[in-house]
Amino acid sequence: MFAAADVVSGEIDELDQEQREALDACVIAAMTWCTPEGDVRARVRLLMECHGRYMRACGIFGEAASFPNFLDRLRRAPVGELLPGPGSWSQIYDERLLEDDGTATAVLIRLVMEASEKAQDVPGMGADLRHVHSVLRALGKLPVGTRLSRITAEAVQHAVFRALLDAGFAAYTQGRETLILSPAMARRALARHAHLVDLGVYTAISPMRQFAGWWASCPLCRWTMRAIPKGRHTAELLCEDVRHVERGARFRMTSRDGRWRLEPCGGEIRDVPELLPVEGHVALSYGLWQWIVVPGLL
């Protein structure tokens, strides 16, 4: 299976203009379709806008797909069948944007950040992207007023690590170790790392990674797991890294007698993480986890 961590901006740039526009429309539409956040009417308007953009991008290469057919293809078709023109991006052509149950795949979430020019419009993920841009702007790497757009791992890594180095070698080594080993922590613990507080790299727990006011960290990377509601009293928590999910970083969250519990869904991981209250805790946003924590752990 293709690993989402293998998606890089260079591969996106190999697509032609029509393919990039079609991919952008599909990515935004798929993420909007599967998230419960945001006003329903606003989400429908965004979906219809994506359909129009997709139709323009496909042009003479594809048949005129109706709006319902467009949504159906998003749910069932792999990336390769969604893009116009000849296939050249073979590494993810067989991957899907949505799981069978309609939830986002790890590939989709990664593409929202790296392949989309309009990710700020997506409920949930837009907050992650805005936070990364706020960090870059605070570090002087983006002019004030710059429109949100694609960013790269290299740009984020360079900005954050350069700022830590400017604070001295001790601040750099301690700060980098903290980012990698503690991507989520209690707010009071963060107060002990003044240089990280100044950088603003930690933020509130994302709405996508909490349920009923609780969150839990992946046993392998220690970052906040994504929470997928399965009803009023049930949710599935899983890591954004598919390799961690395959090893067992997937849990069922249920309420019994007013108390929330986690149960493993299989795999080699035996330790069940602790459920923690959203209030009083902070975490890195998706981009900082993907581009600093994941390679740092490796």
Side-chain angles (χ1 to χ4, degrees):
M1 182 174 63
F2 171 75
D6 294 332
V7 179
V8 295
S9 296
E11 292 172 335
I12 297 169
D13 293 335
E14 290 180 3
L15 299 174
D16 62 32
Q17 184 63 30
E18 288 75 19
Q19 289 173 327
R20 285 198 296 270
E21 291 178 357
L23 178 64
D24 187 42
C26 289
V27 164
I28 298 300
M31 197 70 206
T32 303
W33 172 268
C34 70
T35 181
E37 297 179 47
D39 177 73
V40 174
R41 287 175 294 183
R43 288 167 55 200
V44 171
R45 285 196 298 270
L46 184 54
L47 285 170
M48 295 183 71
E49 176 188 330
C50 289
H51 176 238
R53 291 173 53 215
Y54 180 73
M55 294 289 290
R56 289 194 298 271
C58 289
I60 62 173
F61 290 112
E63 298 179 359
S66 65
F67 183 60
N69 180 256
F70 172 62
L71 296 181
D72 186 66
R73 292 180 67 185
L74 288 178
R75 292 195 299 268
R76 303 177 187 279
V79 170
E81 294 181 15
L82 294 171
L83 303 187
S88 60
W89 204 22
S90 59
Q91 194 172 20
I92 68 163
Y93 259 44
D94 293 332
E95 297 296 324
R96 290 169 53 188
L97 300 178
L98 297 171
E99 303 284 5
D100 290 336
D101 61 1
T103 57
T105 63
V107 169
L108 171 58
I109 293 179
R110 184 70 185 270
L111 288 173
V112 170
M113 295 293 289
E114 294 201 13
S116 176
E117 300 286 353
K118 295 179 175 291
Q120 71 275 9
D121 297 329
V122 181
M125 288 302 294
D128 286 294
L129 186 61
R130 285 190 291 272
H131 176 253
V132 174
H133 275 78
S134 71
V135 171
L136 293 177
R137 289 191 179 114
L139 297 177
K141 300 302 179 181
L142 283 178
V144 176
T146 300
R147 179 174 172 78
L148 300 179
S149 61
R150 284 175 51 192
I151 51 181
T152 66
E154 292 77 13
V156 173
Q157 291 170 359
H158 176 78
V160 173
F161 293 157
R162 182 73 259 176
L164 289 174
L165 276 172
D166 289 344
F169 186 72
Y172 170 78
T173 55
Q174 181 189 34
R176 186 165 181 170
E177 180 180 28
T178 301
L179 289 172
I180 294 170
L181 299 182
S182 301
M185 66 174 77
R187 192 177 295 274
R188 62 178 180 274
L190 176 62
R192 298 195 291 268
H193 304 279
H195 47 292
L196 294 180
V197 174
D198 293 340
L199 293 181
V201 289
Y202 286 85
T203 187
I205 305 296
S206 167
M208 288 185 64
R209 310 180 214 292
Q210 58 175 279
F211 183 72
W214 299 91
W215 68 279
S217 61
C218 168
L220 298 176
C221 67
R222 305 178 188 176
W223 190 57
T224 52
M225 290 188 287
R226 183 169 20 133
I228 303 174
K230 299 294 184 179
R232 292 183 57 188
H233 304 289
T234 306
E236 182 179 32
L237 272 58
L238 71 163
C239 183
E240 296 288 6
D241 193 311
V242 293
R243 294 163 296 189
H244 296 177
V245 174
E246 289 170 353
R247 293 179 58 185
R250 182 193 292 266
F251 302 88
R252 182 178 177 84
M253 179 178 171
T254 57
S255 175
R256 300 173 184 171
D257 303 325
R259 297 182 60 185
W260 291 97
R261 294 178 177 83
L262 284 182
E263 300 173 351
C265 295
E268 65 185 70
I269 297 175
R270 294 292 180 265
D271 295 331
V272 177
E274 179 184 6
L275 279 172
L276 297 169
V278 170
E279 186 69 27
H281 288 85
V282 292
L284 301 178
S285 54
Y286 178 91
L288 297 178
W289 166 79
Q290 181 65 65
W291 296 321
I292 292 179
V293 178
V294 174
L297 289 173
L298 293 175

